[in-house]
């Protein structure tokens, strides 16, 4: 079972992120290379929030240990991150995105 949440992203500039809470989940919406992505707002290594992470292109760098995650698919890009982060499908429409939340 899944549900969706709609987020207004018209004011989210390229290279920016925004923390969002929806249906008990903490998400980070990323505006990377002309597209929007949604990833769990938690580093799979340090289990800390990624609100303060730096987004460069499609790579998010954890502010604690410097591990890197690709926001497109959650894949680890630099140690100490070894496990993928959870990502969520996003559909863009008229300055808004719909994020599919999987149960």
């Amino acid at each position: 079972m899944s549900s969706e949440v709609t987020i207004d992203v018209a004011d989210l500039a390229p290279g920016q992120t925004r923390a969002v809470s929806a249906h008990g989940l903490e998400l980070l919406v990323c505006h990377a290379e002309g597209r929007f992505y949604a990833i769990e707002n938690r580093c799979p290594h340090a289990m800390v929030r990624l609100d303060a992470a730096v987004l460069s292109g499609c790579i998010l760098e954890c502010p604690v240990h410097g591990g890197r995650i690709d926001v497109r698919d959650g894949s680890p890009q630099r140690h100490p991150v070894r496990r993928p982060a959870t990502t969520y499908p996003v559909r863009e429409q008229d300055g808004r995105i719909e994020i599919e939340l999987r149960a």
Side-chain angles (χ1 to χ4, degrees), residues 6-60:
T6 301
I7 308 291
D8 183 354
V9 292
D11 63 340
L12 191 62
Q16 289 187 326
T17 63
R18 177 181 300 149
V20 175
S21 296
H23 302 281
L25 296 172
E26 296 296 322
L27 309 173
L28 190 68
V29 174
C30 304
H31 190 176
E33 297 185 349
R35 299 198 55 200
F36 292 94
Y37 300 92
I39 189 168
E40 183 177 15
N41 191 5
R42 183 171 55 107
C43 175
H45 165 254
M47 302 302 170
V48 297
R49 292 176 59 95
L50 293 170
D51 299 49
V54 174
L55 181 63
S56 179
C58 289
I59 305 299
L60 194 63

Coordinates of all heavy atoms in Angstrom, one line a residue, residues 6-60:
T6 N 1.7 15.9 -1.5 CA 2.0 17.0 -2.5 C 2.7 18.1 -1.8 O 2.3 18.6 -0.7 CB 0.7 17.5 -3.2 OG1 0.1 16.4 -3.8 CG2 1.0 18.6 -4.2
I7 N 3.8 18.6 -2.4 CA 4.6 19.6 -1.8 C 4.8 20.8 -2.8 O 5.1 20.5 -4.0 CB 6.1 19.1 -1.4 CG1 6.0 17.8 -0.6 CG2 6.9 20.2 -0.8 CD1 5.5 18.0 0.8
D8 N 4.7 22.0 -2.4 CA 4.9 23.2 -3.2 C 6.4 23.4 -3.2 O 7.1 23.6 -2.2 CB 4.2 24.4 -2.6 CG 4.4 25.6 -3.5 OD1 5.1 25.6 -4.5 OD2 3.7 26.6 -3.2
V9 N 7.0 23.3 -4.4 CA 8.5 23.5 -4.6 C 8.8 24.7 -5.5 O 10.0 24.8 -5.9 CB 9.1 22.2 -5.1 CG1 9.1 21.1 -4.0 CG2 8.5 21.8 -6.4
A10 N 7.8 25.5 -5.8 CA 8.1 26.6 -6.7 C 9.2 27.5 -6.3 O 9.9 28.1 -7.1 CB 6.8 27.4 -6.9
D11 N 9.4 27.7 -5.0 CA 10.4 28.6 -4.4 C 11.7 27.8 -4.0 O 12.6 28.4 -3.4 CB 9.9 29.4 -3.3 CG 9.5 28.5 -2.1 OD1 9.3 27.3 -2.3 OD2 9.4 29.0 -1.0
L12 N 11.8 26.5 -4.3 CA 13.0 25.8 -4.0 C 14.0 25.9 -5.2 O 13.8 25.3 -6.2 CB 12.7 24.3 -3.7 CG 13.8 23.5 -3.1 CD1 14.2 24.0 -1.7 CD2 13.3 22.0 -3.0
A13 N 15.0 26.7 -5.0 CA 16.0 27.0 -6.0 C 16.9 25.8 -6.3 O 17.1 24.9 -5.4 CB 16.9 28.2 -5.6
P14 N 17.5 25.7 -7.5 CA 18.5 24.6 -7.8 C 19.6 24.6 -6.8 O 20.1 25.6 -6.4 CB 19.0 25.0 -9.2 CG 17.9 25.8 -9.8 CD 17.3 26.6 -8.7
G15 N 19.9 23.4 -6.3 CA 20.9 23.2 -5.3 C 20.5 23.3 -3.9 O 21.2 23.0 -3.0
Q16 N 19.2 23.6 -3.7 CA 18.6 23.7 -2.4 C 17.9 22.4 -2.0 O 17.5 21.6 -2.8 CB 17.7 24.9 -2.3 CG 18.3 26.2 -2.3 CD 17.3 27.3 -2.0 OE1 16.1 27.2 -2.4 NE2 17.8 28.4 -1.4
T17 N 17.7 22.3 -0.7 CA 17.0 21.1 -0.1 C 15.9 21.7 0.9 O 16.1 22.8 1.3 CB 17.9 20.1 0.6 OG1 18.5 20.8 1.7 CG2 19.0 19.6 -0.3
R18 N 14.9 20.9 1.2 CA 13.9 21.3 2.2 C 13.5 20.0 2.9 O 13.1 19.0 2.3 CB 12.7 21.9 1.5 CG 11.6 22.2 2.5 CD 10.4 22.8 1.8 NE 10.8 24.1 1.1 CZ 10.2 24.5 0.1 NH1 9.2 23.9 -0.5 NH2 10.6 25.6 -0.5
A19 N 13.5 20.1 4.2 CA 13.0 19.0 5.1 C 11.5 19.1 5.1 O 10.9 20.1 5.2 CB 13.5 19.1 6.5
V20 N 10.9 17.9 5.0 CA 9.4 17.8 5.0 C 9.0 16.6 5.8 O 9.6 15.5 5.8 CB 8.9 17.5 3.5 CG1 7.4 17.3 3.5 CG2 9.3 18.6 2.6
S21 N 8.0 16.7 6.6 CA 7.4 15.6 7.4 C 6.1 15.3 6.8 O 5.2 16.1 6.5 CB 7.1 16.1 8.9 OG 8.3 16.4 9.5
A22 N 5.8 14.0 6.5 CA 4.6 13.5 5.9 C 4.3 12.1 6.4 O 5.1 11.2 6.2 CB 4.7 13.6 4.4
H23 N 3.1 11.9 6.9 CA 2.6 10.6 7.3 C 3.6 9.8 8.2 O 3.9 8.6 7.9 CB 2.3 9.8 6.0 CG 1.2 10.4 5.2 ND1 -0.1 10.4 5.5 CD2 1.4 11.1 4.0 CE1 -0.8 11.0 4.5 NE2 0.1 11.5 3.7
G24 N 4.2 10.5 9.1 CA 5.2 9.9 10.0 C 6.6 9.7 9.4 O 7.4 9.1 10.1
L25 N 6.8 10.2 8.2 CA 8.1 10.0 7.6 C 8.8 11.4 7.6 O 8.2 12.4 7.4 CB 8.0 9.5 6.2 CG 7.5 8.1 6.0 CD1 7.2 7.8 4.5 CD2 8.4 7.1 6.6
E26 N 10.2 11.4 7.7 CA 11.0 12.6 7.6 C 11.7 12.5 6.3 O 12.5 11.6 6.1 CB 12.0 12.7 8.8 CG 11.3 12.9 10.1 CD 10.5 14.2 10.3 OE1 11.0 15.2 9.7 OE2 9.5 14.1 10.9
L27 N 11.4 13.4 5.4 CA 12.0 13.4 4.0 C 12.8 14.7 3.8 O 12.6 15.7 4.5 CB 10.8 13.4 3.0 CG 9.8 12.3 3.2 CD1 8.6 12.5 2.2 CD2 10.4 10.9 3.0
L28 N 13.7 14.6 2.8 CA 14.4 15.7 2.3 C 14.2 15.8 0.8 O 14.5 14.9 0.1 CB 15.9 15.5 2.6 CG 16.8 16.8 2.4 CD1 16.5 17.8 3.4 CD2 18.3 16.4 2.5
V29 N 13.6 16.9 0.4 CA 13.4 17.2 -1.0 C 14.6 17.9 -1.5 O 15.0 18.9 -0.9 CB 12.1 18.0 -1.2 CG1 11.9 18.4 -2.6 CG2 10.9 17.3 -0.7
C30 N 15.1 17.5 -2.6 CA 16.3 18.0 -3.2 C 16.1 18.5 -4.6 O 15.5 17.8 -5.4 CB 17.4 16.9 -3.3 SG 17.8 16.2 -1.7
H31 N 16.5 19.7 -4.9 CA 16.4 20.2 -6.3 C 17.8 20.1 -6.9 O 18.6 21.0 -6.7 CB 15.9 21.7 -6.3 CG 15.6 22.2 -7.6 ND1 15.1 23.5 -7.8 CD2 15.6 21.7 -8.9 CE1 14.8 23.7 -9.1 NE2 15.2 22.6 -9.8
A32 N 18.0 19.1 -7.7 CA 19.3 18.7 -8.2 C 19.3 18.6 -9.7 O 18.5 17.8 -10.3 CB 19.8 17.4 -7.6
E33 N 20.1 19.4 -10.4 CA 20.3 19.3 -11.8 C 19.0 19.3 -12.6 O 18.7 18.5 -13.5 CB 21.1 18.0 -12.2 CG 22.6 18.1 -11.6 CD 23.5 17.0 -12.0 OE1 23.0 16.0 -12.6 OE2 24.7 17.1 -11.7
G34 N 18.1 20.3 -12.2 CA 16.9 20.5 -12.9 C 15.7 19.6 -12.6 O 14.7 19.7 -13.2
R35 N 15.9 18.7 -11.6 CA 14.8 17.8 -11.2 C 14.7 17.8 -9.7 O 15.6 18.2 -9.0 CB 15.1 16.4 -11.7 CG 15.2 16.3 -13.2 CD 15.1 15.0 -13.8 NE 13.8 14.3 -13.4 CZ 13.7 13.0 -13.4 NH1 14.6 12.2 -13.9 NH2 12.5 12.5 -13.0
F36 N 13.6 17.2 -9.2 CA 13.4 17.1 -7.8 C 13.5 15.6 -7.4 O 13.0 14.7 -8.1 CB 12.0 17.7 -7.4 CG 11.9 19.1 -7.6 CD1 11.5 19.7 -8.8 CD2 12.3 20.0 -6.6 CE1 11.4 21.1 -9.0 CE2 12.3 21.4 -6.8 CZ 11.8 21.9 -8.0
Y37 N 14.0 15.4 -6.2 CA 14.2 14.1 -5.7 C 13.8 14.1 -4.2 O 13.9 15.1 -3.5 CB 15.7 13.6 -5.8 CG 16.1 13.6 -7.2 CD1 16.8 14.7 -7.8 CD2 15.9 12.5 -8.0 CE1 17.2 14.7 -9.1 CE2 16.4 12.4 -9.3 CZ 17.0 13.5 -9.8 OH 17.4 13.5 -11.2
A38 N 13.3 13.0 -3.7 CA 12.9 12.9 -2.3 C 13.7 11.7 -1.7 O 13.7 10.6 -2.3 CB 11.4 12.7 -2.2
I39 N 14.3 11.9 -0.6 CA 15.2 11.0 0.1 C 14.8 11.0 1.6 O 14.4 12.0 2.1 CB 16.7 11.3 -0.2 CG1 17.6 10.2 0.3 CG2 17.1 12.6 0.4 CD1 19.0 10.3 -0.2
E40 N 15.0 9.9 2.3 CA 14.8 9.9 3.7 C 15.8 10.9 4.3 O 16.9 10.9 4.0 CB 15.0 8.5 4.3 CG 14.8 8.4 5.7 CD 14.9 7.0 6.3 OE1 15.5 6.1 5.6 OE2 14.5 6.7 7.4
N41 N 15.3 11.7 5.2 CA 16.1 12.7 5.9 C 16.9 12.1 7.0 O 16.7 12.5 8.2 CB 15.2 13.8 6.4 CG 16.0 15.0 6.8 OD1 17.2 15.1 6.6 ND2 15.4 16.1 7.3
R42 N 17.7 11.1 6.7 CA 18.5 10.4 7.7 C 19.7 9.8 7.0 O 19.5 9.0 6.0 CB 17.7 9.4 8.4 CG 18.4 8.6 9.5 CD 17.4 7.8 10.3 NE 16.7 6.9 9.5 CZ 17.0 5.6 9.4 NH1 17.9 5.0 10.2 NH2 16.3 4.8 8.6
C43 N 20.9 10.0 7.5 CA 22.1 9.4 6.9 C 22.1 7.9 7.2 O 21.9 7.6 8.4 CB 23.3 10.1 7.5 SG 24.8 9.3 6.9
P44 N 22.2 7.0 6.2 CA 22.2 5.6 6.5 C 23.4 5.1 7.3 O 23.4 4.0 7.8 CB 22.2 5.0 5.1 CG 22.6 6.0 4.2 CD 22.4 7.3 4.8
H45 N 24.4 6.0 7.5 CA 25.6 5.6 8.3 C 25.4 6.2 9.7 O 25.4 5.4 10.7 CB 26.9 6.2 7.7 CG 28.0 6.1 8.6 ND1 28.5 7.3 9.2 CD2 28.8 5.1 9.1 CE1 29.5 6.9 10.1 NE2 29.7 5.6 10.0
A46 N 25.3 7.5 9.8 CA 25.3 8.1 11.2 C 23.9 8.3 11.8 O 23.8 8.6 12.9 CB 26.0 9.5 11.0
M47 N 22.9 8.0 11.0 CA 21.5 8.1 11.5 C 21.2 9.5 11.9 O 20.3 9.7 12.8 CB 21.2 7.1 12.6 CG 21.5 5.7 12.2 SD 20.5 5.2 10.7 CE 21.2 3.6 10.3
V48 N 21.8 10.5 11.4 CA 21.5 11.9 11.7 C 20.7 12.5 10.6 O 20.8 12.1 9.4 CB 22.8 12.7 12.0 CG1 23.6 12.2 13.2 CG2 23.7 12.8 10.7
R49 N 20.0 13.6 10.9 CA 19.3 14.3 9.9 C 20.2 14.9 8.8 O 21.3 15.3 9.2 CB 18.4 15.4 10.5 CG 17.3 14.8 11.4 CD 16.5 15.9 12.1 NE 15.9 16.8 11.2 CZ 14.6 16.7 10.7 NH1 13.8 15.8 11.1 NH2 14.1 17.6 9.9
L50 N 19.7 15.0 7.6 CA 20.5 15.6 6.5 C 20.2 17.0 6.2 O 20.6 17.5 5.1 CB 20.4 14.6 5.3 CG 21.0 13.3 5.5 CD1 20.6 12.4 4.3 CD2 22.5 13.3 5.6
D51 N 19.4 17.7 7.0 CA 19.0 19.1 6.7 C 20.2 20.0 6.4 O 20.1 20.8 5.6 CB 18.3 19.7 8.0 CG 17.0 18.9 8.3 OD1 17.0 17.7 8.4 OD2 16.0 19.6 8.5
A52 N 21.3 19.8 7.1 CA 22.5 20.6 7.0 C 23.4 20.1 6.0 O 24.5 20.6 5.8 CB 23.2 20.8 8.3
A53 N 23.1 19.0 5.3 CA 23.9 18.4 4.3 C 24.1 19.3 3.1 O 23.2 20.2 2.8 CB 23.4 17.1 3.8
V54 N 25.2 19.2 2.4 CA 25.5 20.0 1.2 C 25.2 19.3 0.0 O 25.6 18.1 -0.2 CB 27.0 20.4 1.2 CG1 27.4 21.2 -0.1 CG2 27.4 21.3 2.4
L55 N 24.4 19.9 -0.9 CA 24.0 19.2 -2.2 C 24.9 19.9 -3.3 O 24.9 21.0 -3.5 CB 22.5 19.5 -2.5 CG 22.0 18.9 -3.7 CD1 22.1 17.4 -3.7 CD2 20.5 19.3 -3.9
S56 N 25.6 19.0 -4.0 CA 26.4 19.4 -5.1 C 26.1 18.5 -6.3 O 26.4 17.3 -6.2 CB 27.9 19.3 -4.7 OG 28.7 19.7 -5.8
G57 N 25.5 19.1 -7.3 CA 24.9 18.3 -8.4 C 23.9 17.4 -7.8 O 22.9 17.8 -7.2
C58 N 24.0 16.1 -7.9 CA 23.1 15.1 -7.4 C 23.7 14.4 -6.2 O 23.1 13.4 -5.7 CB 22.7 14.1 -8.4 SG 21.6 14.8 -9.7
I59 N 24.8 14.9 -5.6 CA 25.4 14.2 -4.5 C 25.2 15.1 -3.2 O 25.5 16.3 -3.2 CB 26.9 14.1 -4.8 CG1 27.2 13.3 -6.1 CG2 27.6 13.4 -3.6 CD1 26.6 11.9 -6.1
L60 N 24.7 14.4 -2.2 CA 24.4 15.0 -0.9 C 25.5 14.5 0.1 O 25.8 13.3 0.2 CB 23.1 14.5 -0.4 CG 22.4 15.2 0.8 CD1 22.1 16.6 0.4 CD2 21.1 14.4 1.1

